[in-house]
Amino acid sequence: MSGMDIPEPALEQAARWFALLGGDHVTEQQKRRWLQWLDANVDHRRAWEKVEHVDQAFRAVPVKSADSILSAAERRRRRFLQGLGGALLLAPVAIPGWLAWQAGLGRSDLSTARGEIGEFTLPDGGRLWLNTDSAVAVRFDDRQRRLRLFRGELYLRTAHDPRPLWIDTPEGRVSPLGTAFGVRLADRRTWVSVDQGRVRVQARQGDADATLGPGEGTRLDGNGHLSPLPGALSNPGWRQGQLLADGRRLGDLLDELGRYRHGWLRYDPAVADLRLTGAFPLADTDRILDLLEASLPVTVTRVTPWWVTVTPRPH
């Protein structure tokens, strides 16, 4: 069974139920509610089986429980939002030169540091998540709602509001039509994936224009070319503080993990095609490297805390 066949909302709910039921103070009412949720939809049962499978696959390796992972993520979120009083955080950030794609834009309203994940409530009631090392400007007025993604990755659950909403990126414009979706900047391209509703993607150069539905994705480059992609971006579990792998290449996982660490994370091409399955806690990237070394034929060498290499394990 592939996790790609299970809707992300069902996987998210299953992970939260798994965390709750693994805690120390589970009530009978909560157990009954879990059973009701489990029986309500076949996708719920499949998602639960997937979470159990991942847990069993890594039970022999000492890892943090799902409850502690989610609790740590919630603590980080509360610290990040503490003191905001429901308002948006306004803080200047440095924007790399190639991302200053409109003159005079040297300021973002919301940002995250490397390794940090932020969750925000927008002025219209929509929910916005920012992945590691991301920055966005928020411009809402009486006529329109506008976000500018300067770097990194966002996920947005839109609110009901008559004003038009769009996200500007260096390569184009993303216009949601009542939906939940992700946008990522990588390799001088805009990557878009849709979970719910419909999203229109328009190129800044040329006349490329596409409308995506649930489970669909696209990649837009600076020349106005659109390329179809699988619906999920590189790590759909990041909003829950997890790096998910379902038969994933080790090289791809390490590339993604490097986004959450300071310094250099390199690997020998000889290990890149190893496959693995698991749910790894992004709050502790060193623990992820320890897990990889314990479960795969690789050696993790830490030249310094900021210089790490992954090579084949000697015979």
Side-chain angles (χ1 to χ4, degrees):
M1 178 178 61
S2 170
M4 295 297 292
D5 300 328
I6 305 172
E8 184 184 349
L11 284 171
E12 178 179 340
Q13 293 164 19
R16 292 190 178 278
W17 276 118
F18 189 82
L20 175 66
L21 297 176
D24 296 329
H25 306 288
V26 183
T27 67
E28 290 300 319
Q29 181 182 13
Q30 288 170 328
K31 292 178 182 178
R32 288 194 297 270
R33 289 176 55 200
W34 167 67
L35 288 172
Q36 292 171 355
W37 171 84
L38 195 65
D39 292 335
N41 189 302
V42 65
D43 285 334
H44 294 176
R45 189 169 294 275
R46 294 170 62 234
W48 181 258
E49 290 172 355
K50 183 66 178 180
V51 171
E52 284 189 319
H53 170 75
V54 169
D55 178 66
Q56 291 167 5
F58 284 86
R59 187 166 293 178
V61 183
V63 298
K64 295 180 179 179
S65 68
D67 182 59
S68 66
I69 294 169
L70 291 175
S71 296
E74 177 63 18
R75 286 195 299 271
R76 289 198 309 274
R77 187 183 75 87
R78 286 199 300 266
R79 286 198 302 269
F80 196 72
L81 298 178
Q82 186 176 11
L84 298 185
L88 293 174
L89 176 64
L90 300 176
V93 297
I95 301 172
W98 77 272
L99 281 178
W101 40 271
Q102 281 190 354
L105 290 180
R107 183 179 181 86
S108 69
D109 298 311
L110 302 171
S111 63
T112 54
R114 182 175 290 270
E116 184 177 38
I117 296 169
E119 179 181 352
F120 308 89
T121 299
L122 294 174
D124 63 356
R127 296 177 65 194
L128 174 71
W129 288 262
L130 291 183
N131 205 348
T132 174
D133 192 23
S134 300
V136 65
V138 181
R139 299 291 183 268
F140 284 22
D141 58 33
D142 293 339
R143 296 176 300 168
Q144 63 187 13
R145 298 169 293 161
R146 187 175 184 180
L147 303 175
R148 292 189 179 100
L149 181 61
F150 294 138
R151 67 174 186 268
E153 181 176 4
L154 65 78
Y155 188 91
L156 180 62
R157 291 190 186 275
T158 61
H160 294 291
D161 192 298
R163 294 171 295 175
L165 169 65
W166 65 81
I167 295 91
D168 281 326
T169 76
E171 289 76 33
R173 172 168 291 180
V174 181
S175 307
L177 307 172
T179 186
F181 66 103
V183 182
R184 177 175 174 177
L185 301 181
D187 303 325
R188 303 293 179 90
R189 293 172 173 84
T190 295
W191 305 61
V192 182
S193 68
V194 181
D195 288 334
Q196 301 172 17
R198 301 181 71 78
V199 170
R200 184 181 183 186
V201 181
Q202 298 169 278
R204 189 172 299 281
Q205 302 262 344
D207 56 2
D209 191 323
T211 299
L212 310 177
E216 295 181 330
T218 193
R219 179 178 57 198
L220 174 64
D221 66 24
N223 295 319
H225 298 143
L226 287 166
S227 304
L229 293 172
L233 293 179
S234 53
N235 177 31
W238 64 266
R239 289 181 293 120
Q240 288 76 50
Q242 295 185 355
L243 180 55
L244 302 181
D246 183 12
R248 190 173 188 178
R249 291 178 68 253
L250 177 59
D252 294 338
L253 183 138
L254 291 173
D255 287 339
E256 186 69 13
L257 183 62
R259 299 175 60 206
Y260 297 86
R261 292 178 57 87
H262 292 282
W264 297 88
L265 174 59
R266 294 291 181 264
Y267 54 89
D268 191 310
V271 306
D273 289 329
L274 294 174
R275 300 281 175 168
L276 72 161
T277 295
F280 304 93
L282 285 170
D284 190 345
T285 58
D286 284 316
R287 173 61 66 88
I288 296 179
L289 293 170
D290 292 340
L291 286 171
L292 297 179
E293 192 170 34
S295 56
L296 293 173
V298 300
T299 297
V300 177
T301 302
R302 293 172 172 83
V303 181
T304 73
W306 304 279
W307 189 310
V308 179
T309 60
V310 181
T311 56
R313 183 181 300 159
H315 295 293

